[in-house]
Amino acid sequence: MRLVRYTAPGGGPASYGLMEGDDVVRLDGSPFDGVRTTEERTPLADVRLLAPVEPSKVLCLGRNYAEHARELGNEVPEIPVVFAKFSTSVVGPDAEVPYPPDTADLHFEGELAVVIGRECTRVPAEGVADVVLGYTVANDLTMRDLQRAEKQWTRAKGFDRSCPLGPWVETDVDPAALSLRTTVNGEVRQDGTTADMLLDVARCVSWVSQTMTLLPGDVVLTGTPAGVGPLQVGDEVTVTIEGIGSLATRIVGG
């Protein structure tokens, strides 16, 4: 299934929907309470897609690809590095993100995102599949100069609109070896695979759940492959993950 969150023509409140062909069928409630469809059907071309979930928090694995760690001059961590983004960082597909005035070195980082389906804590790796709703695409926008200058990454990673997500949640995909490609203005910058993650999806989710409760709609970012780099005003960055879809973001003037 492909689950979306959207507004219908003319605006109004956001709804959850199920993709069926070229249409969106509105759900009765949210997918976290079970996928129950209504009779309301709207062409996908006529709706505005939003971030597919509204997470209370986004928990992120840093340096989870060895080549990415090395390209920035870092060692592969002995203990997984975890940082957080916030609800105010989340935007949807085709969002415009103002270039932050706090940085001169804004970077893209294409990532596989895991969407949590039910409340859970201290989940063993073998139980992670039972708590995952599905997967979406993320761009972990980063103020790289702040990340280098500060001992923790809260400002560098958690600023407003720093976490584009979308275009939907795909529930029927195996995350073990998906191609991940990022382009900037059509030029390929990242060309990797989730098979290269140091911690796979199950271990990523299990690790972060050991110290904090995950709620329905929370998101776990699983790290980025090598190839990250700077963005400028006017750039369009697109992250595409096999079996899920593409997430485009435009960088605009502040």
Side-chain angles (χ1 to χ4, degrees), residues 183-224:
T183 64
V184 178
N185 303 325
E187 179 182 340
V188 176
R189 300 291 181 84
Q190 291 181 290
D191 192 1
T193 170
T194 60
D196 290 337
M197 290 193 295
L198 298 173
L199 293 185
D200 63 13
V201 163
R203 289 186 292 166
C204 286
V205 174
S206 178
W207 178 260
V208 300
S209 78
Q210 299 307 307
T211 49
M212 58 199 77
T213 298
L214 303 179
L215 302 177
D218 281 352
V219 171
V220 177
L221 301 192
T222 57
T224 193

Side-chain angles (χ1 to χ4, degrees), residues 93-241:
D94 299 313
E96 294 186 343
V97 175
Y99 198 106
D102 313 286
T103 186
D105 197 17
L106 178 68
H107 278 214
F108 60 85
E109 294 190 6
E111 307 202 10
L112 174 70
V114 186
V115 178
I116 301 301
R118 63 179 178 86
E119 183 175 332
C120 58
T121 188
R122 296 192 178 277
V123 184
E126 60 270 20
V128 164
D130 295 332
V131 304
V132 169
L133 177 67
Y135 303 90
T136 191
V137 185
N139 188 348
D140 173 21
L141 293 171
T142 301
M143 295 190 286
R144 192 70 73 200
D145 42 2
L146 266 68
Q147 185 186 21
R148 292 190 180 103
E150 300 180 357
K151 291 184 178 180
Q152 49 75 35
W153 302 349
T154 302
R155 292 204 307 150
K157 295 281 195 174
F159 60 94
D160 289 351
R161 303 180 75 82
S162 66
C163 189
L165 290 175
W168 40 64
V169 176
E170 173 60 65
T171 65
D172 299 318
V173 66
D174 182 348
L178 302 176
S179 67
L180 188 160
R181 177 173 289 188
T182 303
T183 64
V184 178
N185 303 325
E187 179 182 340
V188 176
R189 300 291 181 84
Q190 291 181 290
D191 192 1
T193 170
T194 60
D196 290 337
M197 290 193 295
L198 298 173
L199 293 185
D200 63 13
V201 163
R203 289 186 292 166
C204 286
V205 174
S206 178
W207 178 260
V208 300
S209 78
Q210 299 307 307
T211 49
M212 58 199 77
T213 298
L214 303 179
L215 302 177
D218 281 352
V219 171
V220 177
L221 301 192
T222 57
T224 193
V228 301
L231 294 167
Q232 306 297 330
V233 171
D235 284 347
E236 179 166 305
V237 54
T238 301
V239 184
T240 301
I241 300 181

Side-chain angles (χ1 to χ4, degrees), residues 62-118:
R63 301 171 184 165
N64 196 31
Y65 288 75
E67 289 305 313
H68 169 61
R70 295 186 185 106
E71 74 178 342
L72 297 181
N74 300 306
E75 297 293 329
V76 173
E78 294 183 9
I79 298 174
V81 175
V82 178
F83 60 93
K85 289 176 177 276
F86 310 104
S87 59
T88 49
S89 71
V90 174
V91 293
D94 299 313
E96 294 186 343
V97 175
Y99 198 106
D102 313 286
T103 186
D105 197 17
L106 178 68
H107 278 214
F108 60 85
E109 294 190 6
E111 307 202 10
L112 174 70
V114 186
V115 178
I116 301 301
R118 63 179 178 86

